[in-house]
Amino acid sequence: MEWDRNRITWSVDGHAYHADRRASHGAGRKWVFDHDFYLLLNLAVGGEWPGPVPKSTPFPVRMLTDWVRVYEHA
């Protein structure tokens, strides 16, 4: 995710799939992204999407995270 004062863009493997701009919400309106956020890494299995977990799914599972990068442009 790349986030600056006026735009936020979501990407997977370097390919942007969605973007939102402050200007698209009307002048003078508070933008929903104008507050502090926390990173949450979640290993969710099954649910509404993508559906029930097949019985062949091995449990327990674990998520290995190589890195998470947070930086601020000056």
Side-chain angles (χ1 to χ4, degrees), residues 11-72:
S11 302
V12 173
D13 293 333
H15 301 284
Y17 66 88
H18 183 73
D20 194 8
R21 295 181 181 277
R22 179 186 299 271
S24 69
H25 297 275
R29 291 188 62 194
K30 185 173 172 97
W31 201 30
V32 68
F33 301 111
D34 280 345
H35 60 82
D36 292 339
F37 281 84
Y38 297 90
L39 294 176
L40 184 87
L41 304 178
N42 181 13
L43 177 60
V45 180
E48 290 289 323
W49 182 89
V53 179
K55 292 194 182 296
S56 61
T57 302
F59 284 103
V61 297
R62 62 185 181 158
M63 176 172 54
L64 300 175
T65 303
D66 190 32
W67 54 266
V68 174
R69 182 184 316 180
V70 178
Y71 59 94
E72 182 177 349

